[in-house]
């Protein structure tokens, strides 16, 4: 369970975070629920459906295994596998919480305008039923072929193993009778209805779980922590939680407190004797850590940690002043052995020259030209002109086909580009939007909800402190928050507008010949929302504390950069 969308570089890269626990849990629970549903469906079916496990024969005959329930169970279990794949691919574990752009002066100032439970269920039910029977129809069409050629014998042997515990079967019952299962119209259509009901049960459970879990963190119109023994302490515990879901709901509750509950705001401002520092200071630290992570990840993307080898300072060894050495030290090897100082053939000479140039620390263009000349002379001496031309042509074709991992999508070979556009290639495609979201919003899941709530809460609490902070301690943090917003905006805005190039596998990214389409492709909704929230919050802070800039120490360069980052200079404010 998580809040934000996936921000892994590609769909196939998500497997690293799903293997093995998430995959085993998902498949295990779906298979168990399919088996349990099959049991209930079988026992609730009429006798005419002939779904008993064993066919009761005449008194002088032995009972035989009934293949009709085996096929029904196999179809339901196959449907569970398909549903598990859909669950992982479409990320049913995500709790959808909408994030809206804040509009100044609007009646609804909520950052997460969640609709009522009844309305969300009403809107989702038609699509839920449609998906259920569509998926069931697909599995119903596949099941006869898959059962007859792949699953029939394993399913028969598995069922027979448990049936032998209660009935006596002849040895001839070890294999299913005939080559073709005893299909009938009723048997083939029955999984369509039962499978549709099963998928609807699964989808309904996922829907209700997501709807009720994504409700606003309020209880009887008050924040969830209001009834706790230590409301501020419970809130701080949630803000510092390691789990993404707990932290997201804590910041969501803080956003409500900063908007609608002045008594809780005053309690936060007045809570100055808490262990670990005042409540406001701890809230500021939690929010600052989340916001500053944007600039940190952008800097790491521009300058990866492994791009430059760390320069280790070697310890200065003391230099011993000794007498000058007049001759070389005596050699330890056998002096009577034949000398091997020089190369004996062309291969040794060529390898030594190549090694000399290849390991040269000063690999200048002149050195590269000399090395190229050595290779040309060596190939001319060892190869005929026809073989040399053929080798050069094949190397050029291989380079064109493989392309460069550091190139652009426009330089790819058409065959590779076509493969990447296929459904299989889409699993390996590193889309620009996902890569940008991973840098700005964190990975493997986006923290857009927490970031927006952190920025909005800090801004509203600082503005409210003008009237509600009786100690006047909160205003001293205004310059630091303004600088934090300014630095984040100045790092984020250039990075969005061309700070990161498209990956060579992103064949859907527009080419440079289409600048308008490329600029549009660089706009990612969640990233733009974070940037807009930062700018609006910075503008609100500058507007609220406009008369107190000198008193709080916000003057000179910091104020000028803040105005430019918020866009107030262009507006003439």
């Amino acid at each position: 369970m998580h809040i934000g969308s996936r921000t892994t570089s590609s769909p196939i890269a998500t497997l690293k975070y799903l293997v093995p626990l998430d995959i085993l849990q998902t498949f295990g629970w779906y298979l168990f629920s399919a088996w349990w549903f099959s049991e209930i469906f079988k026992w609730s079916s009429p006798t005419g459906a002939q779904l008993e496990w064993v066919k009761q024969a005449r008194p002088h005959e032995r009972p035989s295994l009934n293949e009709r329930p085996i096929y029904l169970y196999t179809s339901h279990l196959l449907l569970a596998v398909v549903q598990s794949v859909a669950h992982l691919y479409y990320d049913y574990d995500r709790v959808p919480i909408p994030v809206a752009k804040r509009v100044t002066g609007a009646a609804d100032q909520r950052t997460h305008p969640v609709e009522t439970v009844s309305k969300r269920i009403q809107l989702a039910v038609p699509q839920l039923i449609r998906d259920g029977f569509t998926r069931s129809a697909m599995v119903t069409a596949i099941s006869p072929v898959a059962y007859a050629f792949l699953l029939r014998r394993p399913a028969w042997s598995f069922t027979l193993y448990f049936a032998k515990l209660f009935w006596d079967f002849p040895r001839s019952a070890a294999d299913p009778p005939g080559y073709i299962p005893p299909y009938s119209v009723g048997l083939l259509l029955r999984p369509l209805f039962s499978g549709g009901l099963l998928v609807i049960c699964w989808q309904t459970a996922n829907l209700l779980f997501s709807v009720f879990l994504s409700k606003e963190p309020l209880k009887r119109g008050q924040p969830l922590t209001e009834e706790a023994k230590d409301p501020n302490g419970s809130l701080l515990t949630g803000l510092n939680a390691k789990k993404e879901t707990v932290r997201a709901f804590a910041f969501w509750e803080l956003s409500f407190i900063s908007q609608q509950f002045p008594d809780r705001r005053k309690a936060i401002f007045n809570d100055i004797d808490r262990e670990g520092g005042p409540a406001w200071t701890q809230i500021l630290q939690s929010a600052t850590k989340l916001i500053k992570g944007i600039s940190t990840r952008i800097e790491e993307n521009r300058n990866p940690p492994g791009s430059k080898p760390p320069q280790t300072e070697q310890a200065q060894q003391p230099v011993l002043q000794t007498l000058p050495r007049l001759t070389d030290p005596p050699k330890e090897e056998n002096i009577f052995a034949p000398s091997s100082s020089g190369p004996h053939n062309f291969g040794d000479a060529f390898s030594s020259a190549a090694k000399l140039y290849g390991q040269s620390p000063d690999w200048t263009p002149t050195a590269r030209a000399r090395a190229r000349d050595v290779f040309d002379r060596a190939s001319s001496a060892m190869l005929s002109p026809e073989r040399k031309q053929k080798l050069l042509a094949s190397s050029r074709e291989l380079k064109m086909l493989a392309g460069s991992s550091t190139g652009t999508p426009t330089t790819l070979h058409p065959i590779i580009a076509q493969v990447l556009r296929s459904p299989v290639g889409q699993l390996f495609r590193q889309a620009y939007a996902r890569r940008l979201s991973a840098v700005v919003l964190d990975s493997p899941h986006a923290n857009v909800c927490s970031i927006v709530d952190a920025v909005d809460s800090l801004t509203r609490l600082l503005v409210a402190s003008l009237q509600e902070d009786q100690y006047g301690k909160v205003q001293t943090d205004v310059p630091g928050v303004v600088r934090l917003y300014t630095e984040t905006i100045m790092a984020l805005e250039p990075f969005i507008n061309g700070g990161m190039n498209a990956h060579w596998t992103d064949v859907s990214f527009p080419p440079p010949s289409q600048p308008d389409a490329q600029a549009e492709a660089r706009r990612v909704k969640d990233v733009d929302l974070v940037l807009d929230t930062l700018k609006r919050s910075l503008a609100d802070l500058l507007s609220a504390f406009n008369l107190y800039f000198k008193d709080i120490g916000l003057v000179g360069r910091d104020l000028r950069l803040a105005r430019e980052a918020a866009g107030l200079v262009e507006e003439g404010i």
Side-chain angles (χ1 to χ4, degrees), residues 55 151 167 341 375 386 500 569:
K55 294 180 181 179
L151 305 175
W167 290 279
S341 58
F375 282 110
E386 293 79 7
M500 185 173 68
V569 176

Side-chain angles (χ1 to χ4, degrees), residues 374-518:
V374 170
F375 282 110
D376 289 341
R377 286 189 282 111
S379 60
S380 299
M382 302 293 294
L383 301 174
S384 62
E386 293 79 7
R387 290 181 59 85
K388 180 180 178 181
Q389 191 67 24
K390 185 177 180 180
L391 180 62
L392 292 176
S394 61
S395 64
R396 283 195 296 267
E397 291 178 359
L398 181 62
K399 185 176 181 180
M400 289 179 59
L401 180 63
S404 175
S405 60
T406 59
T408 60
T410 56
T411 61
L412 282 178
H413 192 275
I415 297 178
I416 297 181
Q418 190 65 27
V419 171
L420 290 173
R421 290 189 180 95
S422 65
V424 177
Q426 188 176 1
L427 298 176
F428 302 91
R429 193 188 308 166
Q430 298 188 20
Y432 176 84
R434 292 179 69 126
R435 294 173 59 236
L436 182 65
S437 299
V439 175
V440 178
L441 307 177
D442 208 356
S443 181
H445 303 115
N447 286 332
V448 59
C449 294
S450 300
I451 293 175
V452 170
D453 287 334
V455 175
D456 184 71
S457 302
L458 277 187
T459 305
R460 293 181 182 274
L461 288 173
L462 287 172
V463 174
S465 67
L466 289 171
Q467 304 293 333
E468 300 172 359
D469 180 20
Q470 62 179 356
Y471 297 108
K473 298 293 185 180
V474 177
Q475 288 87 350
T476 58
D477 295 318
V478 173
V481 175
V482 170
R483 282 191 291 268
L484 173 64
Y485 289 176
T486 303
E487 293 171 358
T488 306
I489 293 172
M490 295 178 67
L492 178 58
E493 195 165 18
F495 189 72
I496 294 176
N497 300 321
M500 185 173 68
N501 296 325
H503 196 262
W504 66 273
T505 59
D506 191 6
V507 291
S508 61
F509 195 80
S513 59
Q514 302 176 5
D516 295 338
Q518 195 173 89

Side-chain angles (χ1 to χ4, degrees), residues 91-169:
D91 197 13
Y92 289 165
D93 287 336
R94 181 193 175 194
V95 179
I97 298 179
V99 185
K101 182 182 294 186
R102 183 166 59 90
V103 180
T104 305
D108 190 0
Q109 291 289 319
R110 294 180 301 171
T111 55
H112 308 288
V114 180
E115 296 178 344
T116 60
V117 173
S118 59
K119 187 174 182 179
R120 294 176 65 182
I121 294 177
Q122 182 180 0
L123 294 175
V125 164
Q127 183 66 30
L128 183 146
I129 297 175
R130 187 161 49 249
D131 290 345
F133 282 100
T134 301
R135 200 163 294 165
S136 176
M138 180 184 66
V139 175
T140 301
I142 297 174
S143 292
V145 179
Y147 178 79
F149 292 98
L150 299 175
L151 305 175
R152 187 187 184 196
R153 186 174 295 275
W156 178 276
S157 301
F158 183 81
T159 307
L160 183 64
Y161 175 81
F162 289 97
K164 282 183 176 181
L165 300 177
F166 305 97
W167 290 279
D168 185 19
F169 296 96

